[in-house]
């Protein structure tokens, strides 16, 4: 895996939890209708061969695979080495790097360049709320002018809250949808559309959730 970077200490616990969850993640979340629809929207809106960043790509399923199969050049990033090892097997046609979202940059020794599109599905959940606006500004800066981003979050009024997740404890944040829209617009994105899904994971210790998908454009 090229470009592996160390994960910052404040995110190491999250990375270790997802390393342990590994292949069980896709078993617990077998139905991803919203994510599939948003990935398809992104794949079809961009010209064939476009460069797309999949932030928080996990096992590469379904998004990195979906984008690569449409002929796009895909870079997937995640903090979990275990997830990335699975992604490399699941999507051999994509590139994967272990990079914390807080360290994403276009330029520099570990720079990832710029993109025509970004898929950011539930990755921002893993950040404390004060870090989310900065992360969105970084993603905005990674997009070429007119570039597209598909963004999803779980609707919840939470800030760095500890929750049980597949036998582990992770920390998550969220917004109610009006505040989420405002945070995304403040980062410089135009919101061109929105979809909402009610989702119940195949797990007894994770409650049903409301997923918000925003269709965004960099002006």
């Amino acid at each position: 895996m090229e470009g592996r970077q160390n994960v910052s200490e404040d995110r190491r616990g999250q990375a270790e939890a997802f390393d342990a969850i590994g292949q069980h993640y896709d078993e617990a979340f077998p139905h991803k209708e919203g994510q599939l629809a948003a990935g398809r929207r992104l794949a079809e809106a961009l010209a064939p061969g476009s460069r797309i960043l999949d932030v928080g790509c996990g096992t590469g399923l379904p998004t990195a695979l979906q984008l690569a199969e449409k002929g796009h050049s895909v870079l997937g990033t995640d903090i979990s080495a275990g997830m990335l090892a699975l992604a490399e097997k699941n999507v051999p046609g994509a590139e994967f790097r272990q990079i914390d979202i807080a360290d994403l940059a276009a330029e520099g020794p570990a720079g990832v360049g710029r993109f025509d599109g970004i898929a950011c599905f539930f990755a921002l959940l893993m950040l404390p709320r004060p870090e989310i606006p900065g992360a969105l500004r970084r993603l905005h800066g990674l997009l070429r002018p007119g570039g597209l981003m598909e963004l999803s979050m779980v609707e919840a009024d939470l800030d760095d809250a500890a929750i049980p997740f597949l036998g582990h404890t992770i920390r998550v944040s969220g917004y109610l949808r009006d505040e989420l829209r405002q945070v995304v617009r403040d980062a410089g994105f135009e919101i061109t559309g929105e979809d909402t899904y009610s989702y119940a994971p195949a797990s007894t210790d994770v409650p049903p959730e409301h997923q918000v998908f925003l269709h965004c454009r960099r002006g």
Side-chain angles (χ1 to χ4, degrees):
M1 211 172 297
E2 296 181 7
R4 279 278 175 98
Q5 297 184 12
N6 292 327
V7 177
S8 59
E9 288 298 329
D10 61 347
R11 214 91 70 213
R12 190 171 299 281
Q14 300 278 61
E16 290 173 351
F18 280 96
D19 285 346
I21 290 165
Q23 61 190 13
H24 301 297
Y25 180 85
D26 289 320
E27 295 171 5
F29 292 85
H31 306 294
K32 303 182 176 72
E33 287 85 355
Q35 189 170 338
L36 283 165
R40 182 166 56 249
R41 179 187 180 96
L42 184 62
E44 294 176 353
L46 296 171
S50 293
R51 191 161 188 255
I52 303 178
L53 175 66
D54 184 6
V55 182
C57 63
T59 66
L61 303 177
T63 303
L65 179 62
Q66 187 179 27
L67 297 171
E69 286 183 337
K70 287 290 186 179
H72 297 296
S73 174
V74 180
L75 171 63
T77 62
D78 205 285
I79 60 172
S80 167
M83 289 283 197
L84 289 169
L86 292 169
E88 288 183 324
K89 295 176 181 177
N90 290 331
V91 197
E95 177 188 0
F96 296 97
R97 300 188 195 180
Q98 186 183 19
I99 306 177
D100 191 320
I101 192 171
D103 297 324
L104 282 170
E107 312 294 342
V112 294
R114 288 187 167 79
F115 299 85
D116 304 296
I118 293 176
C120 185
F121 296 137
F122 307 112
L124 298 180
L125 289 172
M126 301 296 112
L127 302 178
R129 264 197 193 175
E131 295 184 27
I132 292 176
L136 283 166
R137 288 192 296 271
R138 278 191 294 279
L139 296 180
H140 184 274
L142 292 174
L143 274 177
R144 297 184 175 112
L148 304 178
M149 179 174 74
E150 290 290 322
L151 171 72
S152 67
M153 289 280 281
V154 173
E155 184 176 23
D157 188 11
L158 296 173
D159 181 13
D160 201 31
I163 65 166
F165 188 79
L166 302 182
H168 298 268
T169 298
I170 62 170
R171 307 192 70 83
V172 299
S173 298
Y175 298 100
L176 301 181
R177 69 189 62 198
D178 286 345
E179 189 173 3
L180 174 62
R181 293 188 199 106
Q182 191 59 53
V183 170
V184 171
R185 290 191 181 108
D186 288 346
F189 290 99
E190 173 192 0
I191 299 173
T192 61
E194 177 180 326
D195 294 301
T196 305
Y197 296 81
S198 181
Y199 186 82
S203 172
T204 57
D205 66 343
V206 180
E209 59 192 31
H210 294 287
Q211 301 176 345
V212 179
F213 288 80
L214 300 181
H215 318 312
C216 308
R217 179 187 302 276
R218 173 181 171 159

